[in-house]
Amino acid sequence: MEIQDIKRFYPARPRNSHKGTYGSACIIAGSDKYIGAAALASRAALMSGCGYVKLVTSEKVKLALAAHIPQVIFLGEADLKSQSIAVGMGCGKSNELYTLIKFLLAEYKGTLIIDADGLNSLAEYGKEVLKEKSCKVILTPHAAEFARLTNETAESFAKEFGVIVLLKGADSIITDGVRTEVNTQGTTALAKAGSGDMLAGYICGTAARGIDAFGAACCGAFTLGLAAEISSAEKTDYCATAEDIIKNLHFAVKQLTT
């Protein structure tokens, strides 16, 4: 992917627009052990340009984050009217999470991003549910998570299950089984905890504002990679953190909108 390929995912925003114009992203993330996952995913979604970010999380996480991300709407359950939903970041692998994903696959009509413990729960309790769905699905595994799911290639898995796979790595592969893109943008600053949470959140926000699922996956991977390059230039790959990358997201987006 080249920068010109990604710029098309950042169209001019009409002056006469409002929150509803840019859609709603629902994040299902975090647990008492992984509070930061919910924060990073939500903050990345807030930077994506969508109109609303809604967070479904535990009461402890809500109390920890409410004052720090006041733009987020806290909910008790998934909002099926949102244009996109991202699930699994920091939730902990469980049958309860698997049951929720199974419900979303059957009932939700938008774009569903499944990450982290959502993927691990599918691997543990049954990936076959991916074949019966009413929504578009993006899976965002790193190599170990993908290995738990299957021994297939990303392309063959995507084609068999009718999903988009964003296989994260030094060169990330985005494929729906027919089209395949490779993202080389990024640095080893992304090889740290929290990067996947940000990516899932940013893809969720991008899909919420109307970008198709495959495009949202490509856009998210490239934009986060570009933000990481900016952060690494400032602080080195050693010192740049997920927090730094979120703070530099606006510089990456500026390059993509000018």
Side-chain angles (χ1 to χ4, degrees), residues 106-126:
E107 301 297 332
Y108 182 52
K109 308 298 182 185
T111 298
L112 178 65
I113 300 97
I114 306 175
D115 185 48
D117 288 319
L119 298 168
N120 293 331
S121 296
L122 285 172
E124 177 75 16
Y125 299 104

Side-chain angles (χ1 to χ4, degrees), residues 19-38:
K19 297 186 292 291
T21 305
Y22 303 107
S24 173
C26 181
I27 308 290
I28 305 171
S31 60
D32 292 358
K33 184 178 180 181
Y34 297 111
I35 294 173

Side-chain angles (χ1 to χ4, degrees), residues 112-257:
L112 178 65
I113 300 97
I114 306 175
D115 185 48
D117 288 319
L119 298 168
N120 293 331
S121 296
L122 285 172
E124 177 75 16
Y125 299 104
K127 64 192 176 191
E128 295 301 317
V129 292
L130 290 170
K131 292 184 176 180
E132 298 294 330
K133 54 189 175 295
S134 59
C135 53
K136 300 182 180 86
V137 174
I138 303 171
L139 308 182
T140 55
H142 55 58
E145 289 167 340
F146 193 61
R148 294 184 195 113
L149 272 176
T150 183
N151 59 5
E152 297 178 76
T153 66
E155 287 181 336
S156 61
F157 185 89
K159 187 173 184 179
E160 179 184 350
F161 287 88
V163 299
I164 294 162
V165 174
L166 196 172
L167 182 57
K168 297 177 289 192
D171 296 331
S172 294
I173 296 167
I174 302 101
T175 182
D176 61 4
V178 178
R179 298 171 292 174
T180 298
E181 298 284 350
V182 178
N183 176 54
T184 60
Q185 211 77 31
T187 73
T188 63
L190 288 166
K192 297 176 182 178
S195 297
D197 305 322
M198 287 190 298
L199 179 61
Y202 198 83
I203 292 172
C204 190
T206 302
R209 59 182 177 84
I211 305 301
D212 68 277
F214 190 85
C218 293
C219 180
F222 190 99
T223 306
L224 263 293
L226 183 56
E229 291 180 356
I230 294 167
S231 301
S232 293
E234 290 180 345
K235 293 194 172 182
T236 77
D237 285 5
Y238 283 94
C239 299
T241 65
E243 187 79 5
D244 297 314
I245 293 169
I246 283 182
K247 288 178 179 177
N248 282 323
L249 263 171
H250 67 290
F251 290 116
V253 174
K254 189 171 183 179
Q255 289 188 34
L256 294 164
T257 53

Side-chain angles (χ1 to χ4, degrees), residues 10 13 22-29 36-56 69 71-73 82 84-87 89 113 194-209 220 223-224 242 245-247 249 253:
Y10 292 97
R13 291 164 71 92
Y22 303 107
S24 173
C26 181
I27 308 290
I28 305 171
L40 290 168
S42 298
R43 290 186 62 198
L46 286 168
M47 297 286 283
S48 70
C50 64
Y52 295 91
V53 175
K54 301 170 182 179
L55 177 60
V56 180
I69 44 174
Q71 308 96 321
V72 168
I73 300 167
S82 290
S84 59
I85 295 175
V87 60
M89 302 76 73
I113 300 97
S195 297
D197 305 322
M198 287 190 298
L199 179 61
Y202 198 83
I203 292 172
C204 190
T206 302
R209 59 182 177 84
T223 306
L224 263 293
I245 293 169
I246 283 182
K247 288 178 179 177
L249 263 171
V253 174

